[in-house]
Amino acid sequence: MTAPPAARLLHRHLRGQWPAMRRLAAWSAVESLPMFASGLLLARAVDRGFLAGRPLTGLGWLAALAALYAAGAIGTGRVYPWLAATVEPLRDSLVAEVVTAALRRMADRAPDAAGAGVSQVTEQAEAVRALVGTALRNVRQLVSAGAAALVGLTLLSPPLALVVFLSVALALAVYAALVGVQVRRYRAVIREAERIGETAAVIVHGVRDVTACAAESRAARTVGKVIDTQAGALRAYARTRLVRLPVLALGVHLPLLALLVLSPYLTAHHGFTAGQIAGAAGYLVTGLQPGITVLVDAGGTLLLSLAVVLGRLAEICTAPGAPPSVPPVTAESFGIEADGVTFAYSPHAAPVVEDLSLHVPEGTHLAVVGPSGTGKSTLANLLTGLLEPQRGEITLGKVPLPRLDPAQLRSMVTLIPQESYVFAGTLRDNLAYLRPHATAAELDEAVDAVGLRDTVERLGGYGTGIPPGGGELSQGERQLITLARACLSPAPVIVLDEATSHLDPAAEARAELALAGRGGTLIVIAHRITSAERAEQVLLLDGLTPVLGSHETLLARSPLYAELVGHWHR
């Protein structure tokens, strides 16, 4: 029989910790000695000591029990280091596998990869670590308390052990009958937690559009609805916890009550001694009751939660069946076309881009303008393949973007976003990132073209180190570094998504003209209307019908464009 995926996942991450687990089991056995012997020693202390008129003998048996409890305490103290040695490596290896799986899903453009991946790494992987640690502690208690009590009771009095065993079996049958309901309801809790991450990721990704459309209250309602759904799932799961009442009643309370009520009859007619009654009661109260309590609590929360979370992570970490192999295609030209493209950030959201058709011939200088919230940045991500449309198709050189070889697509199209990425390394490393073998002359040409020379001299040359995050570089200097990087790039298509927003108009004009003069296609998501005045073609996104034409054509044809131009120059 094949093990469930959750069990295989846990085994895979625990198999390197078997030495620690063997030591954990050995010290747990030492810890369970007092519970195993408590009823037997108590019965001897009562029957052969105190009731026989030999109090010193009775005290001797109790002293032996105290010694065993001291040994058990030593075992408990030695348990926890080996417990940590088992659980902590599990957390690290599991996080590594979950992160790898999340990145793979994002690379495959799974629609829920980002939000669900956050939940899986931050909540579910940490939950596995905590649950395994707690479960190991509680399973030890179940073994040391419940199992040891049953074994000890069997040695003390087989008839009593048989009655208690039947009552416990009935309690376990009741519990098993309701486990399925608990599993389904807790799985719903886990899935709703992931939906919160998915929904929040969509809204955060489109926060500029949310703000531009004054849709903050609608976004809050959307997230609130998902949170309320998870709260309902949690309440439904909490109701299943009532199963602990009949299980405890059948497994512990009923046998104990029967033993106490029938003890005079048992001692008078069936030969039971007072010590056996006291020892059996001790096993029920101090051994079996904690064991059954651990079972319903650990099984209803810890073990159940562990099974559900591990099952969900196993679904994520298991590589899906490989789709039919389709060899990637190489584009021979660099014209960009969009045919009936529609994109929305969630199935129930209004489209940000709707039924857009666009042709950008190779070598075109295009500016994209429009009011905030009309989807300009979304269009930039679509044209560069970072987002896929729900309808329609985008091609580069007549080849659909998903069919292109990913490495070729990244080498042919360079996107420079508004958030400038400057990494730790030398200035040369940052500038030549897209052309690692650039010569000093090529670096000088790009630096002079975009207006970065003053910054290079201030820093002390290309060999100067830049700390993480850019250090003391201003936002404008960081943007100039990324623009010089784009200028050095061999990519025939450059897309600037408000990548000059921290530059003054003169610096912006200089950088855009430098990028346009390098040849190839330049698409500028315009921060200022002057970017449109410099472009050969202008795409106006107005939320209704996109309009494409030259600056002069749009001035004549589009009142909105004329208003934008007039507003800017005023």
Side-chain angles (χ1 to χ4, degrees), residues 103-128:
L103 291 174
R104 182 177 64 244
R105 288 160 56 223
M106 284 189 280
D108 293 338
R109 297 185 176 92
D112 64 339
V118 169
S119 174
Q120 286 140 17
V121 174
T122 59
E123 295 181 16
Q124 296 178 24
E126 175 60 23
V128 169

Side-chain angles (χ1 to χ4, degrees), residues 109 329 383-386 396 400-402 404-414 491-493:
R109 297 185 176 92
V329 178
L383 294 179
T384 54
L386 297 180
L396 179 64
L401 295 188
L404 281 170
D405 181 277
Q408 189 199 29
L409 177 59
R410 298 279 70 88
S411 67
M412 292 168 57
V413 179
T414 294
V493 178

Side-chain angles (χ1 to χ4, degrees), residues 48-394:
R48 302 180 185 181
F50 300 114
L51 292 182
R54 295 194 292 270
L56 292 179
T57 301
L59 290 175
W61 288 112
L62 294 181
L65 180 58
L68 285 179
Y69 270 108
I74 294 174
T76 301
R78 299 300 299 270
V79 155
Y80 285 92
W82 295 113
L83 182 64
T86 301
V87 173
E88 296 304 322
L90 165 70
R91 186 261 315 276
D92 296 340
S93 62
L94 186 62
V95 166
E97 182 168 350
V98 171
V99 169
T100 301
L103 291 174
R104 182 177 64 244
R105 288 160 56 223
M106 284 189 280
D108 293 338
R109 297 185 176 92
D112 64 339
V118 169
S119 174
Q120 286 140 17
V121 174
T122 59
E123 295 181 16
Q124 296 178 24
E126 175 60 23
V128 169
R129 183 201 67 80
L131 290 170
V132 168
T134 307
L136 286 175
R137 291 197 304 270
N138 288 337
V139 165
R140 289 184 315 97
Q141 184 180 354
L142 174 62
V143 171
S144 63
L150 285 175
V151 173
L153 184 59
T154 301
L155 295 176
L156 179 67
S157 173
L160 284 178
L162 177 61
V163 173
V164 171
F165 180 80
L166 292 176
S167 183
V168 170
L170 180 60
L172 295 180
V174 171
Y175 177 73
L178 296 176
V179 163
V181 177
Q182 288 187 310
V183 169
R184 289 192 297 273
R185 293 190 179 180
Y186 192 75
R187 186 177 289 119
V189 171
I190 293 295
R191 185 65 191 111
E192 293 304 326
E194 291 182 4
R195 285 189 60 204
I196 292 175
E198 296 164 11
T199 305
V202 169
I203 290 176
V204 170
H205 189 79
V207 66
R208 288 195 295 178
D209 294 322
V210 169
T211 303
C213 298
E216 291 91 343
S217 58
R218 178 179 176 183
R221 287 195 302 271
T222 301
V223 177
K225 185 182 297 184
V226 182
I227 293 174
D228 291 342
T229 302
Q230 195 210 19
L234 280 168
R235 287 192 293 269
Y237 168 66
R239 287 193 290 270
T240 65
R241 299 286 292 115
L242 295 175
V243 69
R244 73 191 308 272
L245 299 179
V247 171
L248 282 174
L250 291 172
V252 177
H253 301 153
L254 183 61
L256 179 60
L257 180 63
L259 177 67
L260 295 178
V261 171
L262 296 176
S263 59
Y265 175 79
L266 294 175
T267 53
H269 297 87
H270 291 277
F272 286 91
T273 66
Q276 287 178 316
I277 298 295
Y283 277 131
L284 288 173
V285 173
T286 63
L288 195 59
Q289 178 170 337
I292 296 293
T293 302
V294 166
L295 175 65
V296 294
D297 288 341
T301 55
L302 299 175
L303 298 180
L304 174 63
S305 303
L306 181 61
V308 173
V309 174
L310 275 173
R312 178 58 181 157
L313 291 180
E315 294 174 10
I316 301 304
C317 295
T318 301
S325 178
V326 178
V329 178
T330 301
E332 301 298 335
S333 60
F334 311 115
I336 298 177
E337 292 190 48
D339 182 17
V341 169
T342 296
F343 177 83
Y345 282 103
S346 72
H348 306 293
V352 181
V353 176
E354 186 171 13
D355 198 27
L356 172 67
S357 294
L358 175 67
H359 177 50
V360 185
E362 183 177 340
T364 300
H365 179 184
L366 171 72
V368 181
V369 299
S372 296
T374 53
K376 300 188 295 296
S377 293
T378 300
L379 177 60
N381 290 330
L382 288 166
L383 294 179
T384 54
L386 297 180
L387 296 175
E388 284 192 15
Q390 281 87 27
R391 293 196 304 273
E393 184 178 69
I394 299 176

Side-chain angles (χ1 to χ4, degrees), residues 480-504:
L480 285 175
I481 289 174
T482 59
L483 291 168
R485 183 189 301 159
C487 197
L488 276 167
S489 166
V493 178
I494 300 290
V495 179
L496 305 182
D497 183 9
E498 298 191 7
T500 59
S501 57
H502 294 289
L503 303 181
D504 59 61

